[in-house]
Amino acid sequence: AQSVTQLDSQVPVFEEAPVELRCNYSSSVSVYLFWYVQYPNQGLQLLLKYLSGSTLVESINGFEAEFNKSQTSFHLRKPSVHISDTAEYFCAVSGRGQGGKLIFGQGTELSVKP
Amino acid sequence: DAGVIQSPRHEVTEMGQEVTLRCKPISGHNSLFWYRQTMMRGLELLIYFNNNVPIDDSGMPEDRFSAKMPNASFSTLKIQPSEPRDSAVYFCASCRDRGQLDAFFGQGTRLTVV
């Protein structure tokens, strides 16, 4: 079985400041890791994913996350946030061979202030 | 492709009534997931199907909940009888179960049971 812990429920930050959203997971098998973003009143959208290979993965809008196996972490970072990044961010894990079944963390609400 | 399509977007019903939520997955995706999102419990996986067969329904809260997938392009989640504590946003998601593991989410159905 897998579980995900997002350490911060809310992260307020000023525009153009850097941000880190923390995610730790536990699993008895090898995993795939994901970050999803949810804008108000919308479904979840995939932001980035780690399947294999390079432990640093990037999204098209400037976010990146690094898979750290020894620390069982997959923290999400962005060097300079925009107002439009305000949303809820979910970290998720899927065990290999489980056909895409995702287990989500509780979510982190990122609030970017001008 | 139109993405994962859920209907209705909003449903308000009285306690005791039957509720049916519908989902059309992305064509070619052979895994389908039903999630429930609440403030208290976050995103919970209720059930998932692979090739139209229920694989894991351990997240279904009780016998009042049932889900079917009669064919590759349609799934339903039924609650009978509904209770106020079932009020939540219900998401359907689909993915290919080989290679591409991104789960694509629908816009969700916001259910209110009064």
Side-chain angles (χ1 to χ4, degrees):
Chain A
Q2 292 81 41
S3 68
V4 178
T5 302
Q6 291 184 241
L7 297 162
D8 307 295
S9 59
Q10 294 180 320
V11 173
V13 64
F14 287 106
E15 193 174 19
E16 298 184 4
V19 70
E20 178 179 82
L21 308 183
R22 296 180 291 169
C23 172
N24 287 90
Y25 70 93
S26 68
S27 176
S28 56
V29 301
S30 296
V31 296
Y32 304 117
L33 293 159
F34 305 81
W35 276 98
Y36 280 80
V37 59
Q38 184 179 30
Y39 298 102
N41 300 314
Q42 294 190 25
L44 282 75
Q45 303 171 33
L46 179 68
L47 189 60
L48 48 75
K49 63 184 176 184
Y50 169 78
L51 302 182
S52 65
S54 173
T55 57
L56 183 66
V57 291
E58 298 177 350
S59 72
I60 58 173
N61 59 351
F63 283 94
E64 65 178 31
E66 186 160 19
F67 169 54
N68 187 318
K69 187 175 181 179
S70 63
Q71 297 187 3
T72 61
S73 68
F74 192 55
H75 301 331
L76 182 69
R77 302 182 182 96
K78 188 170 185 179
S80 176
V81 294
H82 302 289
I83 298 285
S84 59
D85 294 324
T86 295
E88 186 136 23
Y89 291 79
F90 292 91
C91 182
V93 64
S94 178
R96 289 177 186 257
Q98 293 191 356
K101 172 184 171 181
L102 290 167
I103 304 300
F104 285 90
Q106 286 289 83
T108 297
E109 185 180 336
L110 174 64
S111 176
V112 181
K113 304 181 187 305
Chain B
D1 198 313
V4 176
I5 299 173
Q6 291 186 247
S7 63
R9 289 294 310 277
H10 301 274
E11 176 81 32
V12 180
T13 190
E14 292 184 346
M15 182 174 64
Q17 296 298 306
E18 175 182 304
V19 175
T20 299
L21 311 182
R22 297 173 176 79
C23 175
K24 176 178 169 52
I26 293 173
S27 177
H29 285 192
N30 46 19
S31 288
L32 182 141
F33 310 86
W34 282 100
Y35 285 88
R36 178 171 69 176
Q37 185 178 35
T38 61
M39 290 291 291
M40 291 294 293
R41 301 171 72 95
L43 272 160
E44 304 172 275
L45 177 64
L46 300 178
I47 185 170
Y48 87 96
F49 295 84
N50 185 257
N51 293 323
N52 312 337
V53 176
I55 302 299
D56 183 352
D57 66 355
S58 59
M60 296 287 263
E62 48 197 278
D63 292 346
R64 297 185 297 107
F65 286 69
S66 62
K68 294 182 179 179
M69 192 164 186
N71 57 61
S73 59
F74 184 64
S75 177
T76 60
L77 178 68
K78 183 180 292 186
I79 308 172
Q80 180 185 22
S82 57
E83 296 182 2
R85 60 195 169 114
D86 302 330
S87 298
V89 181
Y90 291 81
F91 287 103
C92 177
S94 70
C95 77
R96 299 180 216 276
D97 68 349
R98 296 187 185 279
Q100 183 175 341
L101 291 172
D102 317 7
F104 289 80
F105 282 74
Q107 296 280 63
T109 295
R110 182 174 296 276
L111 173 65
T112 303
V113 183
V114 298

